[in-house]
Amino acid sequence: MTPDEIEGAVTAGLPRAIEDLKRLVSIPSVAFPGHPDEPVHAAAAATEELLRSAGLPNVRQIPVEGSFPAVYAEAPAPPGAPTVLLYAHYDVQPAGDPALWRTPAFEPTEVDGAIYGRGAADDKSGVISHVAALRTFQGRFPVGVKVIIEGQEEYAGERLEAFVERNPELVRADTIIVADTGNPRVGDPSVTTSLRGMGAFTIEVRTLEESLHSGSFGGAAPDALAALIRMLAALHDDHGDIRVPGLPRGTFLGAGPSEEEFRATAGVLDGVSLVGSGSLADRLWASYAITVTGLDVPTVSGAINAVQPVARARVTVRVPPAGDPKTTIEAVVDFLDQVAPWGAKVSFTDYVLGSGFLSDTGGSARSALNRAMERAYGRPPRDVGAGGSIPLVSTLVRQFPAAEILLFGAEDDAASIHAPNERVVVEELRRTILTEALFLQEYGSATAG
């Protein structure tokens, strides 16, 4: 197919892709404990159906130990052509407080050229990008195709990692496209060349056998919540830089956002300063970051006048691409142990680890992607980093060191992923689909040539 034919096919197929995305977003496929399993399995079934509609001859769900099924598909390579693996995930983050959403989280709503709903960007846009790009070829693919769509990336992506380590031939490919990132701004073509790794754990602090009347015992009885607050506050200095020994600030060689762009995208309130030091690219893409993502303490509405015997927190640490998540978490845990006041009893559980990624940007697949993106966006892409983590990527790097791994997608920094009012811009989705379809044709032709 010529580039003009591909672009025409993508444009003609966009209304169908939009309806498919809305149908997928309407399924609350939250694969977190405490949420129902049935919608997650429904999303797997819908994903399987979508991949069949893309002309792939072999499509099936495959069990993943301790997790929800992945959806797998494949089509053999034409003689002499390479094989491309396409990755995305069909599970989503919990919606959170419904009152913070302007439209219902699982009722996809189109407003001013964008589709709002949980998972519209992260990462059901990735699923639809793959499906719509493959439909362009009507079953006559210019490369070999393998597709794996994960079912529990947001909560326990390390389980698919273990599956891939045990079944490498299933996903072996010359090039791997991970459609779970995006551009800093809509219309700003970018390829993600680095990902921070991550680690997470739950900390529990105990000081008393049971809660005590704050009037009778406050002032002498050690408060577990106060102890935990002191410990968490000790992780950063007054500038917001990390105080944990052995976690230095890193350097990102490319350009990051300006402070004005970042403040606008992040919604930082007037008069509130940013935290940390170094360039924004350094802080966001190449340095450690520690975030308290949850607390188990009495709510304000349910508060009673009591000294607390126990308090818990969930702590997430982002790790630079070259850093080791295991030793990083060990350093943070050791530091928290050392700063625990009053001899409080401290324990750590529920560890999660995921490695980072740093790509090679000079291969034939990246060159083909550059040409495809330039056609789709009108200018060549630039390299950017991502502060988030995709657990599977580091496993793919270890398993297939010769394969090129390309990260791009329809998300953008203002898409509100993991937050209320998540959205994907329809034109950005179209350009992502077009980029992938053009890449598959360009890469297949260049390799055959």
Side-chain angles (χ1 to χ4, degrees), residues 417-429:
I417 66 171
H418 296 205
N421 306 303
E422 180 179 350
R423 63 98 180 102
V424 66
V425 174
V426 170
E427 177 60 14
E428 197 77 339
L429 178 65

Side-chain angles (χ1 to χ4, degrees), residues 13-22 115 128 132 135 429 433:
L14 187 61
R16 181 183 182 187
I18 291 171
E19 291 307 308
D20 288 335
L21 177 60
K22 289 179 179 178
I115 298 169
I128 296 303
R135 282 176 181 162
L429 178 65
I433 296 167

Side-chain angles (χ1 to χ4, degrees), residues 64-102:
V64 177
E65 185 177 355
S67 184
F68 290 94
V71 184
Y72 180 79
E74 61 182 334
T83 294
V84 177
L85 173 68
L86 309 177
Y87 167 87
H89 63 88
Y90 65 79
D91 66 305
V92 300
Q93 284 278 327
D97 185 354
L100 299 178
W101 286 78
R102 291 186 289 273

Side-chain angles (χ1 to χ4, degrees), residues 14-50:
L14 187 61
R16 181 183 182 187
I18 291 171
E19 291 307 308
D20 288 335
L21 177 60
K22 289 179 179 178
R23 181 164 62 95
L24 202 56
V25 171
S26 70
I27 304 172
S29 51
V30 180
F32 279 59
H35 292 263
D37 290 355
E38 189 279 329
V40 186
H41 288 290
T47 300
E48 182 179 3
E49 177 189 336
L50 286 167

Side-chain angles (χ1 to χ4, degrees), residues 326-373:
K326 183 175 183 294
T327 58
T328 298
I329 292 300
E330 289 172 350
V332 176
V333 165
D334 288 346
F335 180 83
L336 288 168
D337 256 333
Q338 292 169 21
V339 299
W342 317 320
K345 307 302 181 185
V346 182
S347 61
F348 301 91
T349 57
D350 299 329
Y351 290 93
V352 173
L353 299 173
S355 297
F357 163 73
L358 188 64
S359 75
D360 178 1
T361 60
S364 60
R366 175 60 195 271
S367 296
L369 179 60
N370 289 346
R371 294 189 291 272
M373 271 197 165

Side-chain angles (χ1 to χ4, degrees), residues 107-362:
E107 295 179 20
T109 306
E110 195 164 351
V111 180
D112 296 332
I115 298 169
Y116 287 80
R118 173 57 85 229
D122 183 21
D123 182 36
K124 291 176 178 179
S125 71
V127 176
I128 296 303
S129 294
H130 293 327
V131 169
L134 292 173
R135 282 176 181 162
T136 302
F137 300 100
Q138 299 181 336
R140 298 184 295 274
F141 305 115
V143 295
V145 176
K146 295 181 178 181
V147 185
I148 189 160
I149 310 296
E150 187 174 2
Q152 203 173 22
E153 189 271 350
E154 297 289 8
Y155 180 76
E158 72 277 2
R159 294 170 186 170
L160 185 63
E161 290 184 80
F163 173 85
V164 168
E165 288 170 350
R166 292 192 300 269
N167 301 274
E169 291 306 315
L170 198 68
V171 294
R172 185 179 298 278
D174 300 287
T175 291
I176 300 164
I177 292 178
V178 177
D180 194 14
T181 61
N183 300 323
R185 295 178 300 277
V186 171
D188 178 16
S190 307
V191 180
T192 300
T193 58
S194 73
L195 295 171
R196 285 193 293 195
M198 66 88 68
F201 59 88
T202 297
I203 177 174
E204 181 178 277
V205 177
R206 288 186 174 272
T207 55
L208 302 167
E209 292 183 357
E210 58 186 16
S211 59
L212 299 171
H213 190 288
S214 60
S216 301
F217 295 93
D223 186 334
L225 178 54
L228 178 60
I229 290 171
R230 288 168 61 106
M231 295 164 67
L232 297 176
L235 290 168
H236 299 87
D237 64 20
D238 290 343
H239 299 290
D241 287 314
I242 292 173
R243 294 182 61 230
V244 179
L247 306 186
R249 186 174 68 245
T251 301
F252 187 82
L253 298 179
S258 68
E259 181 168 334
E260 292 73 20
E261 290 171 333
F262 180 80
R263 291 181 69 91
T265 300
V268 180
L269 301 179
D270 290 343
V272 178
S273 64
L274 303 185
V275 299
S277 56
S279 74
L280 279 171
D282 293 347
R283 279 178 271 175
L284 296 171
W285 303 334
S287 297
Y288 297 89
I290 302 177
T291 306
V292 179
T293 56
L295 286 169
D296 283 344
V297 297
T299 62
V300 172
S301 61
I304 59 174
N305 293 324
V307 180
Q308 298 301 316
V310 59
R312 301 198 314 157
R314 187 69 176 168
V315 178
T316 298
V317 185
R318 299 295 176 172
V319 182
D324 177 53
K326 183 175 183 294
T327 58
T328 298
I329 292 300
E330 289 172 350
V332 176
V333 165
D334 288 346
F335 180 83
L336 288 168
D337 256 333
Q338 292 169 21
V339 299
W342 317 320
K345 307 302 181 185
V346 182
S347 61
F348 301 91
T349 57
D350 299 329
Y351 290 93
V352 173
L353 299 173
S355 297
F357 163 73
L358 188 64
S359 75
D360 178 1
T361 60

